[in-house]
Amino acid sequence: MPARSAVDAVVIGSGPNGLAAAITLARQGLEVSVVEGRSTPGGGLRTAELTLPGFRHDVCSAIHPLGMASPFLQSLDLAAHGVRWIHPEFPLVQPLDGGGAIVQERSVRATAERLGRDRKAYMGLMEPLVDSAPHLYETLLGPLQIPKHPFSLIRFGLRALLSADQLAKLSFRTPEARALLAGHGAHSILPLEAPGTAAFAMMLAISAHAVGWPVAERGSQAIADALVSILEALGGRVICDTPVRKLEDLPRARVYLFDTSPKVMESICGDRLPENYRAGLRRFRHGPAAFKVDWALSGPIPWSNEAARRTACLHIGPTFGEIAESERFAWQGKISDRPFLIVAQQSVVDLTRAPAGKHTGWGYAHVPNGSNEDALARIESQIERFAPGFRDLILARHVTNPAAMEAYNPNYVGGDIAGGVQDLAQLYARPVARLDPYSTPARDIFICSASTPPGGGVHGMCGYHAARSALRRFGIKAARPL
Ligand SMILES: Cc1cc2nc3c(=O)[nH]c(=O)nc-3n(C[C@H](O)[C@H](O)[C@H](O)COP(=O)(O)OP(=O)(O)OC[C@H]3O[C@@H](n4cnc5c(N)ncnc54)[C@H](O)[C@@H]3O)c2cc1C
């Protein structure tokens, strides 16, 4: 355990939000220590040789549209600290039965051209939203707030409260355009009939055009390493191998910020938090889990569709109905025989990920929270369906089921990788409904993880906003908003 020396702030957990909080505080001259339970920093940003030597797999996050959209991450000189974003030719490809594919290009127009009868509808929906993307990110990647650019938000918000199902039916006639929206909407990890899932669908579709869906060269770990390097340059430090169980384990500090699940924060803080707030934390809901597989491959995934070989990210689910059923099943305690998959093939664009001529694969399905059912065969059949011969290329695989996910990182309660359900009731009122959701009734305790607004993903915005809330407690107004 670290010596109980005094610092201004201690952050518990070194995920992107913990590091973002630490950097935001250190930028204001505060002395900050980050305490991490595992042997390396990074939380959801680690990269490791999970299968065979020389095969570098992103343990959690792989594709970074939210990183590109994040006003906080974009305010840092990540390039100077070693991050190189690699943009594939196409941000996203969604293979279809029979060898076709839905291809989302960087250009709205080029994407629309591929959507036949929905060409005009796609342009009409996406063009104004992509034009106002920076304003949308500023407002939506944070707590509920009065928007600085209300007109941009109104255009988005009128549709955002719909379900992805309603938006698809209202906007599009072709099964391809509807399936494209379904794949994006499924990142909410909610049934696609749930109100608000249209917002996820639109945000991710907009980001493909506005900022792209890159991977980080050498793996997502490069982003974590850069954040640590920036923090250290500001005088902060990260202490690893220190799982925190009680507040007394920590260096003395004026303020503590938890990059943890509400459950972990509650157990560490105990009666330093009043009972009614603790009861609120215990009511926090977690949703379906991820069942993830990493593959070491002897060659690139042999997608039938040629465009699918020229992207880093694929959505596997050819129709709205198939994707919707898969997501609904995860909420009903079942796993679809044809689960919706998010697949990444980083080595196609980043040669550092595998030995020469070899490749890595990364993919997961949404399954019921805590499920111990084996989804491996169903996941591999889904890939084989669109890439015949895939199984023959597998040299080794690493499987992470929901229990292993939580064992790896206690923030993934029951395997929930989004830091808690992101429905309308809990997206902004997370972890409990408070005017300032990052603060707690204890003056020196804050929460900064993905269990605060704006929720899951590598953007650091939860940490940034939590740190600003802590700075207000210190009576320090952060120099300038991002
Ligand atoms: C399989 C998977 C795929 C994903 N894919 C993407 C993607 O492609 N793009 C994207 O943007 N997002 C993706 N995500 C989501 C993203 O990784 C998370 O939303 C993000 O990492 C959350 O950041 P965080 O800082 O809130 O918490 P985390 O990244 O979870 O970090 C929390 C840290 O706190 C530490 N910790 C917890 N409890 C304690 C304790 N008691 N003591 C000490 N340390 C503690 C943990 O060890 C961990 O290092 C994915 C996640 C997973 C699991």
Side-chain angles (χ1 to χ4, degrees):
M1 290 295 144
R4 285 180 52 78
S5 60
V7 289
D8 289 318
V10 167
V11 179
I12 299 95
S14 68
N17 285 312
L19 293 171
I23 290 169
T24 304
L25 296 171
R27 273 175 155 177
Q28 297 304 313
L30 270 61
E31 195 183 335
V32 189
S33 291
V34 178
V35 180
E36 167 58 48
R38 294 189 70 87
S39 57
T40 56
L45 282 172
R46 296 191 187 94
T47 302
E49 291 183 344
L50 295 175
T51 54
L52 297 172
F55 290 83
R56 291 176 53 74
H57 303 278
D58 289 324
V59 182
C60 301
S61 71
I63 309 290
H64 293 288
L66 293 174
M68 299 302 289
S70 162
F72 172 75
L73 289 183
Q74 293 305 317
S75 78
L76 304 173
D77 191 355
L78 290 173
H81 293 264
V83 175
R84 193 170 85 83
W85 297 112
I86 304 179
H87 287 269
E89 182 177 352
F90 304 124
L92 177 84
V93 175
Q94 196 164 342
L96 300 172
D97 289 312
I102 304 156
V103 180
Q104 196 166 28
E105 302 207 25
R106 282 302 297 273
S107 144
V108 179
R109 185 173 297 277
T111 306
E113 296 294 347
R114 292 173 177 269
L115 291 173
R117 284 186 303 146
D118 277 324
R119 186 181 68 81
K120 265 195 175 158
Y122 190 83
M123 293 286 292
L125 176 65
M126 296 307 299
E127 228 174 14
L129 293 174
V130 171
D131 287 345
S132 56
H135 298 159
L136 290 175
Y137 296 147
E138 208 177 297
T139 307
L140 297 172
L141 292 178
L144 266 188
Q145 53 193 301
I146 298 166
K148 284 195 214 116
H149 308 280
F151 291 114
S152 309
L153 195 71
I154 287 167
R155 205 182 289 123
F156 179 85
L158 286 175
R159 298 182 183 90
L161 295 176
L162 300 174
S163 68
D165 182 45
Q166 289 167 321
L167 180 68
K169 286 179 184 148
L170 277 176
S171 309
F172 299 130
R173 288 178 292 168
T174 64
E176 290 81 9
R178 289 179 175 179
L180 179 64
L181 270 191
H184 288 312
H187 284 256
S188 64
I189 325 186
L190 293 166
L192 298 185
E193 299 77 19
T197 43
F200 287 85
M202 287 190 292
M203 274 292 271
L204 283 166
I206 294 166
S207 66
H209 302 302
V211 290
W213 284 32
V215 302
E217 188 180 50
R218 294 179 293 112
S220 300
Q221 182 75 51
I223 307 168
D225 293 347
L227 294 175
V228 171
S229 165
I230 291 168
L231 176 64
E232 287 174 350
L234 291 164
R237 63 182 189 138
V238 181
I239 305 160
C240 287
D241 289 314
T242 308
V244 179
R245 297 199 178 81
K246 44 190 190 329
L247 274 181
E248 294 71 40
D249 291 345
L250 294 167
R252 263 182 305 117
R254 292 161 75 189
V255 67
Y256 298 91
L257 291 95
F258 283 83
D259 183 21
T260 70
S261 66
K263 183 177 154 186
V264 167
M265 180 172 83
E266 200 235 332
S267 83
I268 292 173
C269 296
D271 58 14
R272 281 293 317 283
L273 295 168
E275 178 46 35
N276 61 347
Y277 182 78
R278 292 177 69 182
L281 295 179
R282 289 194 292 269
R283 279 195 298 273
F284 188 74
R285 291 170 294 128
H286 285 278
F291 187 109
K292 178 174 182 261
V293 190
D294 291 280
W295 295 276
L297 301 167
S298 61
I301 303 178
W303 303 106
S304 304
N305 182 270
E306 204 261 328
R309 301 178 198 165
R310 288 150 55 196
T311 182
C313 188
L314 301 105
H315 285 165
I316 306 298
T319 63
F320 193 103
E322 190 176 308
I323 298 172
E325 180 178 88
S326 176
E327 297 307 297
R328 204 180 315 119
F329 273 19
W331 280 86
Q332 293 171 346
K334 300 184 278 188
I335 303 175
S336 167
D337 286 338
R338 295 184 149 193
F340 169 67
L341 307 181
I342 301 170
V343 169
Q345 47 184 18
Q346 298 91 325
S347 58
V348 167
V349 291
D350 179 4
L351 297 179
T352 70
R353 304 298 185 103
K358 308 279 194 297
H359 283 269
T360 56
W362 168 113
Y364 67 90
H366 298 143
V367 302
N369 189 284
S371 169
N372 52 20
E373 212 178 316
D374 189 356
L376 176 65
R378 278 169 278 192
I379 288 175
E380 291 188 346
S381 315
Q382 276 289 71
I383 300 182
E384 187 77 27
R385 173 178 166 194
F386 302 102
F390 164 69
R391 281 203 190 92
D392 301 335
L393 302 179
I394 299 173
L395 300 171
R397 56 169 80 75
H398 180 270
V399 176
T400 313
N401 70 9
M405 200 63 86
E406 183 169 356
Y408 173 72
N409 180 344
N411 283 19
Y412 304 145
V413 179
D416 166 8
I417 65 170
V421 175
Q422 305 188 115
D423 60 8
L424 289 181
Q426 201 173 254
L427 183 58
Y428 289 104
R430 61 203 281 125
V432 294
R434 280 172 74 81
L435 217 48
D436 174 356
Y438 310 99
S439 68
T440 73
R443 279 186 60 76
D444 56 346
I445 296 175
F446 293 79
I447 179 163
C448 67
S449 68
S451 301
T452 63
V458 171
H459 42 64
M461 293 302 289
C462 310
Y464 164 73
H465 285 291
R468 283 173 62 84
S469 171
L471 285 166
R472 284 194 293 273
R473 281 264 170 96
F474 274 107
I476 303 172
K477 198 169 174 298
R480 57 181 168 83
L482 297 170

